[in-house]
Amino acid sequence: MPRYYCEYCDISLTHSSVPGRKQHHSGRKHIMNVIEYWAQFQAALPQPRAAPRPTPPPPPPGGLRPTPPGVPPPLRPTPPPMSAMGGPRGPPPMP
């Protein structure tokens, strides 16, 4: 079996078995070499500019916000139905 060559670390592994490669790939030196290798490409990329944030419209007078499209308006409490006598329906109040 040929020896395994790690391009990040620039070494040939004497133990090129799968467990030997796994041990090498989880090692501190290999991980730092991989981070350093990819950092050089990251530094070469242009930095993205933040898009300007649109300013939200001012709230309408009275402090009420308009309902967004597609959202039903909030339910408003309705008064209890009145009976023929003019009072609320239901059993008489307890004394």
Side-chain angles (χ1 to χ4, degrees):
M1 178 178 237
R3 298 173 86 176
Y4 177 75
Y5 179 75
C6 179
E7 296 177 2
Y8 298 110
C9 302
D10 195 29
I11 61 168
S12 293
L13 299 180
T14 55
H15 301 288
S16 61
S17 64
V18 173
R21 283 187 237 167
K22 283 185 180 180
Q23 184 177 5
H24 170 74
H25 287 152
S26 63
R28 181 178 46 88
K29 287 183 180 179
H30 175 79
I31 292 173
M32 293 307 294
N33 287 338
V34 171
I35 292 171
E36 185 179 320
Y37 176 80
W38 289 107
Q40 69 184 349
F41 295 110
Q42 185 70 24
L45 292 175
Q47 297 297 323
R49 291 187 295 168
R53 296 177 121 191
T55 56
L64 297 176
R65 293 183 177 170
T67 306
V71 176
L75 297 175
R76 293 192 169 87
T78 57
M82 302 299 261
S83 68
M85 300 298 285
R89 281 194 194 168
M94 296 294 287

